[in-house]
Amino acid sequence: MDKIQPNLVLKNGEVYTVDRKRSWADTIAITDDRIVFVGSFADIESDFSSEVEVIDLEGKMVLPGFVDAHSHPSHGMDYFGNINLYQLDALEKYKLEIAQFAQRNPDAPAYRGGGWSDSLFPTVGPSKDILDTIVPDRPVSIISYDGHSLWVNSITLEKAHITQDTPDPDGGVIGRDPETGEPNGTLRETAMNLVESVIPDYSTDERVQALLAYQEMSFGSGVTMTHDAMLDAQSIAAFNRLEADGQLKMRFRGSITMHPDQPIDEQIQNILEQRAQNQHPRFQTNTAKIFVDGVVEGGTAYLFEPYAHRPDFSGVPIWSGEQLLEVFPILDKEGIQIHVHVIGDAAAHIALDGLEKAQVENGVRDSRHMLTHLQLVTPEDIARFQHLNAIGIPNPYWFKIDDYYHKLALPYLGQHRADMQYPMKSFFDAGVVMASASDFPVTIPFDPLIGIQLGMTRSEIGRVDAEILWAEERVSLEQMIASFTYNGAFANFLENQTGSLVVGKQADFVVLDKNIFDMSETEIAETEVLLTNIAGQEVYKSENLNSQ
Ligand SMILES: [Zn+2]
């Protein structure tokens, strides 16, 4: 064979390539940004000089770099450096964090942050009174961990002129006192926009800092590529700044959010212009984001059958079925990929109707439209994904019976639907490409090894007695790995560059301390990422990896 002249060789490993045959190797060699050899060390031993860096993996595992097919790196500001309620589990802890943040930032004109959960305030949402006692004198706005609701204080409502008489906007809900009708401080979905003018926007600097922090977090988790599923002009500016400063290390693809109440043709024109402008190999925007509905916990998911706690109400879509029938064929025709947020079964249904119309009008194309979250989907609609070549973007981190299930899913959906959340195996069985995602900052930490374990076990990590959420929908390790690697690359039209360890592709890979095929599925989440490389560049290295 020709000499390959690598500059890095990893030998004596357990290399799971995720190639078409799902083959294994013991050695992978890299020249500059590319993989030049995958196979047995004996076959290349004599091919390179002794100066080449050789890492003896001593049986450690190598996988393609992980792909997170739906995440919000450009919305990390609420997590990194502001009021941070993520991962706190009690109202008292919320209050303490808010008070301490206010104390540390006495001069800020307003406070922002994120991470509160509806599970602490079932159905009504958090009250402005709680914030008023801590911060009475300037606006406070804290976004919920799922990004679909805002908690604000009285002064924010006053400055935005939101009163008893303000009607709910289309696609939104102003939380109210049930007796007086007075706004209570919770704003859901499009109602969040009502306070936009009162809350100062994040600066590009703050956005860049959050993106840098996000990249570092990703590298430690082995994530080498992410789809940012909610871009706007400000976040695109931050990505472009990062690129100009040479700090764009990961591969990013992104969706630009469209709004049903703004002129469609102008929005499509903007997406086409952005697509032409953002053509960096590490940052491209070829996708439109459509929120068809909201979330179950906000009562904003669009369901076939009424909510269990409101027998007269099954949710209202943010985009109507008629609008989707009109817009999807246009986007598809322009070659714009569509990334659709669907939580309720009726939302998935009307989104698929829109994709079907696009296929009827434009013919079968390699469009790779994506439907994400997929909390409730009927078996008939799962079959339609396959016919329409739609890609599923599930969030396996949520596949468990936990507080969310008991405090929100059960009371809102009732037992039957709560037990049929997040189908997964049915999609694989139907031949649908499934690309897993964290939805960061909804999920923190977003280590894909946690997602892989949850996709296999569908039960809470670290609890022996944990119940299983819909046991029939558990999937295999091979399927979970594919969903976090090759399938994510495919969903982003990057399968010729990344997503599997094949000669000629970019050297995006991770080294894990153990082979996850050789352990109980309940131990996978504890596996450590030791090394992360993107295009042959080391972006993360644990001190537990010895190089020689
Ligand atoms: Zn999202």
Side-chain angles (χ1 to χ4, degrees):
M1 81 193 307
D2 291 336
K3 291 214 185 289
I4 51 171
Q5 294 177 323
N7 39 33
L8 174 64
V9 175
L10 295 100
K11 68 168 186 179
N12 196 17
E14 307 206 0
V15 183
Y16 184 65
T17 62
V18 197
D19 67 0
R20 217 172 277 271
K21 293 182 194 158
R22 302 291 189 257
S23 48
W24 290 82
D26 63 44
T27 296
I28 171 170
I30 288 119
T31 303
D32 302 327
D33 59 341
R34 292 197 183 267
I35 299 169
V36 291
F37 176 82
V38 182
S40 165
F41 186 67
D43 291 339
I44 56 161
E45 200 166 4
S46 56
D47 280 12
F48 55 89
S49 72
S50 55
E51 283 121 66
V52 173
E53 186 190 0
V54 177
I55 297 176
D56 184 346
L57 292 170
E58 296 168 335
K60 297 180 182 70
M61 183 170 209
V62 183
L63 281 174
F66 294 125
V67 177
D68 192 332
H70 174 122
S71 165
H72 301 288
S74 61
H75 287 73
M77 295 81 67
D78 301 322
Y79 177 66
F80 300 113
N82 284 287
I83 294 173
N84 181 348
L85 308 183
Y86 295 90
Q87 295 163 295
L88 300 182
D89 57 3
L91 179 57
E92 288 313 309
K93 295 179 187 172
Y94 286 5
K95 288 182 185 167
L96 188 65
E97 161 67 13
I98 297 163
Q100 288 176 339
F101 185 87
Q103 234 164 39
R104 290 197 304 272
N105 298 277
D107 302 325
Y111 299 139
R112 299 188 64 166
W116 60 271
S117 166
D118 268 299
S119 62
L120 295 180
F121 317 95
T123 69
V124 290
S127 158
K128 60 186 179 184
D129 301 340
I130 302 169
L131 293 177
D132 289 347
T133 55
I134 309 171
V135 185
D137 59 343
R138 70 198 85 186
V140 181
S141 101
I142 308 176
I143 198 155
S144 58
Y145 84 100
D146 60 23
H148 288 262
S149 303
L150 210 56
W151 177 17
V152 299
N153 59 355
S154 292
I155 197 167
T156 307
L157 292 170
E158 276 160 34
K159 288 192 173 201
H161 309 293
I162 300 172
T163 68
Q164 233 164 314
D165 305 322
T166 313
D168 286 356
D170 278 348
V173 177
I174 299 171
R176 295 172 197 272
D177 182 297
E179 264 137 52
T180 63
E182 196 192 326
N184 72 352
T186 302
L187 303 169
R188 302 205 187 269
E189 305 297 343
T190 58
M192 299 193 285
N193 306 337
L194 300 173
V195 298
E196 232 166 34
S197 60
V198 178
I199 309 296
D201 204 357
Y202 287 118
S203 68
T204 304
D205 261 1
E206 286 173 292
R207 291 169 185 277
V208 165
Q209 289 311 316
L211 284 175
L212 288 170
Y214 172 84
Q215 283 196 143
E216 290 309 313
M217 220 171 144
S218 295
F219 301 154
S221 311
V223 175
T224 57
M225 199 247 128
T226 287
H227 187 101
D228 187 315
M230 197 163 60
L231 292 171
D232 56 16
Q234 290 91 329
S235 46
I236 289 174
F239 274 109
N240 285 326
R241 168 89 67 86
L242 216 58
E243 181 204 320
D245 295 349
Q247 290 178 308
L248 205 52
K249 292 187 189 168
M250 304 179 60
R251 300 179 198 283
F252 288 103
R253 292 296 180 267
S255 313
I256 296 173
T257 311
M258 292 184 70
H259 303 278
D261 53 350
Q262 292 170 18
I264 298 301
D265 44 347
E266 281 172 30
Q267 295 187 77
I268 292 180
Q269 198 50 43
N270 173 52
I271 292 171
L272 292 173
E273 281 163 21
Q274 289 299 334
R275 176 167 76 185
Q277 277 166 32
N278 303 313
Q279 282 301 327
H280 191 279
R282 301 274 170 104
F283 177 62
Q284 294 180 14
T285 56
N286 304 326
T287 314
K289 173 72 180 290
I290 303 271
F291 284 93
V292 173
D293 66 345
V295 288
V296 168
E297 59 270 29
T300 49
Y302 181 38
L303 306 172
F304 277 130
E305 302 293 329
Y307 283 89
H309 68 305
R310 285 180 69 182
D312 57 338
F313 182 71
S314 45
V316 183
I318 295 170
W319 290 76
S320 70
E322 293 73 43
Q323 283 176 307
L324 299 180
L325 290 175
E326 197 186 313
V327 173
F328 280 10
I330 305 175
L331 289 167
D332 182 71
K333 193 172 183 193
E334 293 286 358
I336 297 169
Q337 188 184 29
I338 311 170
H339 190 120
V340 199
H341 167 115
V342 290
I343 289 282
D345 43 12
H349 188 76
I350 61 173
L352 291 163
D353 287 347
L355 294 185
E356 201 166 76
K357 181 94 180 305
Q359 198 175 79
V360 168
E361 284 188 18
N362 304 329
V364 178
R365 323 168 101 215
D366 186 12
S367 41
R368 306 190 196 182
H369 302 310
M370 308 181 254
L371 271 68
T372 187
H373 305 319
L374 311 170
Q375 192 161 349
L376 295 173
V377 191
T378 64
E380 297 74 34
D381 280 338
I382 290 176
R384 292 170 78 203
F385 272 72
Q386 206 273 332
H387 302 313
L388 297 167
N389 293 318
I391 293 172
I393 312 284
N395 307 104
Y397 303 84
W398 309 345
F399 297 179
K400 56 189 171 177
I401 293 190
D402 58 356
D403 244 25
Y404 178 93
Y405 174 92
H406 289 293
K407 294 193 177 139
L408 299 168
L410 267 187
Y412 281 62
L413 298 173
Q415 187 81 53
H416 180 67
R417 282 181 300 189
D419 289 338
M420 296 186 76
Q421 292 182 91
Y422 307 118
M424 183 73 161
K425 183 166 183 292
S426 300
F427 280 102
F428 275 103
D429 289 350
V432 179
V433 174
M434 297 296 276
S436 287
S438 70
D439 206 13
F440 166 86
V442 177
T443 302
I444 300 169
F446 53 77
D447 185 338
L449 292 160
I450 295 173
I452 288 172
Q453 175 169 331
L454 281 161
M456 294 174 70
T457 63
R458 299 181 69 95
S459 58
E460 271 197 289
I461 290 175
R463 285 191 48 189
V464 192
D465 60 338
E467 289 176 88
I468 301 171
L469 177 66
W470 205 359
E472 293 76 15
E473 292 294 326
R474 288 174 295 186
V475 300
S476 70
L477 179 55
E478 288 86 348
Q479 287 170 320
M480 283 313 302
I481 292 175
S483 83
F484 270 110
T485 56
Y486 184 86
N487 294 358
F490 180 85
N492 287 284
F493 293 93
L494 276 169
E495 76 279 10
N496 292 325
Q497 291 189 52
T498 189
S500 61
L501 301 174
V502 173
V503 170
K505 281 201 189 185
Q506 294 276 295
D508 297 353
F509 65 89
V510 292
V511 174
L512 308 181
D513 65 342
K514 293 190 193 93
N515 183 344
I516 54 177
F517 283 85
D518 291 345
M519 61 179 68
S520 151
E521 60 198 24
T522 58
E523 292 169 357
I524 292 174
E526 289 162 38
T527 310
E528 196 194 341
V529 172
L530 297 178
L531 180 72
T532 306
N533 268 41
I534 301 177
Q537 295 290 306
E538 180 183 302
V539 291
Y540 173 78
K541 187 179 190 175
S542 154
E543 50 197 26
N544 296 332
L545 181 79
N546 305 312
S547 159
Q548 50 172 236

